[in-house]
Amino acid sequence: MVKTAFKYVFVYLILLLMYVPIFVLIVFSFTNATYIGEWAGFSFKLYVDLFQSKETMISLGNTIIIAIISAVVSTFLGVTGAIGAFYSKKRNRALFENLNQIPVVNPEIVIALSLVVMFVFLGNTVFKENLFSFWTLLAGHVILSAPFVYLNVKPKLQQMDPSLYEAALDLGCSPRKALSKVMFPQLLPGILSGFILAITLSLDDFIVTAFTRGPGLLSGDNAIETLSTLVQAKIKKGPIPPELRALTTIIFLVVLITVIGITIYQNKGKNKPKRRRF
């Protein structure tokens, strides 16, 4: 009885520590006060200021573009890598999985510094110009995200009956058609999870972005500014702009709706009665 009570208290305490700061931000996004803790009356002014702030909108646009493109590339590499490793020989599969683990367990600062060294070396010795741009930033985000997509797809491959793919080939399907008609529907939950995780990692990243960014995207000739680098720059100068509290609220609600939608979709799939085959 005591152990059960302690378990629930511990779980709820952790949840409280996780979500109370978010709810505080949400509450104070509806008041036009510079500092959290000051209430200047209920207002939607911060939401109006958010969409009128050119700097914030540029950072948000850059963040979304990079997140989507890097997630698409990471998902493609992670899925194809997982399928290739799954159907490889045991030794090759073990080698690939060990290599995939390195970016996962490595500190992010190590990945960022190694990328900087590589880009500087290539720029000085091969291309004879500064390589830092959107493409170096994209490469950094893909390297950060692709291994996690692989880890999401791998369990689905292990749960799948490998003879189904071979049976489809024996029945006349081309490898591409067997992949799209047989394997892809079974891997779809893992692919979607990996894609969403890749977007989350890209949105959340600061270290790799700060080290590998260059001019491009909506920032033009200036260094690409994302939400993480914008917040870091604002903290150096003074308080965080109040309109970012409104942006935090919007992001939280979008994520919440997405998670609820995915959960409902997955539960519907589980509750559907399976057709009997005779």
Side-chain angles (χ1 to χ4, degrees):
M1 183 70 178
V2 176
K3 288 183 178 180
T4 304
F6 177 77
K7 178 176 67 175
Y8 282 110
V9 169
F10 179 77
V11 170
Y12 286 122
L13 179 62
I14 296 298
L15 291 174
L16 196 67
L17 292 174
M18 288 173 58
Y19 288 103
V20 163
I22 297 175
F23 291 139
V24 170
L25 279 175
I26 292 174
V27 170
F28 282 94
S29 71
F30 294 102
T31 183
N32 187 26
T34 304
Y35 298 98
I36 292 179
E38 300 176 356
W39 186 263
F42 186 86
S43 172
F44 288 102
K45 188 174 185 305
L46 294 184
Y47 291 88
V48 176
D49 293 343
L50 170 65
F51 291 101
Q52 291 179 346
S53 173
K54 184 178 179 181
E55 186 180 34
T56 305
M57 288 294 100
I58 288 175
S59 301
L60 177 61
N62 287 336
T63 303
I64 293 174
I65 292 170
I66 294 167
I68 293 175
I69 296 177
S70 65
V72 170
V73 177
S74 299
T75 302
F76 175 77
L77 294 176
V79 172
T80 53
I83 294 174
F86 183 75
Y87 285 101
S88 297
K89 294 180 180 179
K90 189 175 181 181
R91 181 180 298 178
N92 294 335
R93 187 190 313 151
L95 175 63
F96 190 85
E97 290 181 356
N98 289 330
L99 291 174
N100 185 77
Q101 289 293 337
I102 294 175
V104 175
V105 300
N106 244 346
E108 199 172 329
I109 186 66
V110 175
I111 297 174
L113 284 173
S114 62
L115 287 172
V116 169
V117 171
M118 182 184 70
F119 292 140
V120 169
F121 173 77
L122 291 176
N124 292 337
T125 60
V126 179
F127 297 97
K128 305 298 182 181
E129 62 178 348
N130 181 19
L131 292 182
F132 290 95
S133 62
F134 162 72
W135 299 107
T136 57
L137 178 56
L138 177 63
H141 280 234
V142 170
I143 290 171
L144 185 68
S145 304
F148 291 93
V149 178
Y150 174 93
L151 293 177
N152 274 271
V153 176
K154 176 185 170 183
K156 295 298 179 182
L157 281 166
Q158 293 173 335
Q159 295 171 8
M160 186 186 71
D161 186 356
S163 61
L164 292 177
Y165 178 76
E166 297 172 1
L169 295 177
D170 292 340
L171 292 173
C173 284
S174 64
R176 182 179 298 179
K177 192 172 182 180
L179 182 66
S180 62
K181 296 293 185 180
V182 177
M183 291 188 65
F184 184 78
Q186 298 184 67
L187 300 180
L188 187 58
I191 294 173
L192 290 177
S193 299
F195 179 76
I196 293 172
L197 182 57
I199 288 181
T200 303
L201 289 170
S202 179
L203 292 173
D204 188 51
D205 178 73
F206 169 73
I207 297 177
V208 171
T209 301
F211 277 74
T212 61
R213 63 178 176 154
L217 290 181
L218 303 179
S219 299
D221 295 331
N222 299 321
I224 295 173
E225 198 80 77
T226 63
L227 289 177
S228 59
T229 57
L230 175 67
V231 171
Q232 191 266 347
K234 294 297 183 183
I235 290 175
K236 283 184 177 180
K237 298 177 181 179
I240 299 175
E243 60 267 16
L244 291 182
R245 300 201 296 263
L247 180 60
T248 302
T249 302
I250 294 173
I251 292 174
F252 176 76
L253 292 177
V254 170
V255 171
L256 183 64
I257 293 171
T258 303
V259 171
I260 292 174
I262 293 174
T263 303
I264 293 174
Y265 174 78
Q266 290 178 343
N267 289 337
K268 279 185 177 180
K270 291 179 180 178
N271 295 331
K272 280 183 180 179
K274 295 182 179 180
R275 295 179 179 179
R276 293 184 179 180
R277 296 180 179 180
F278 298 95

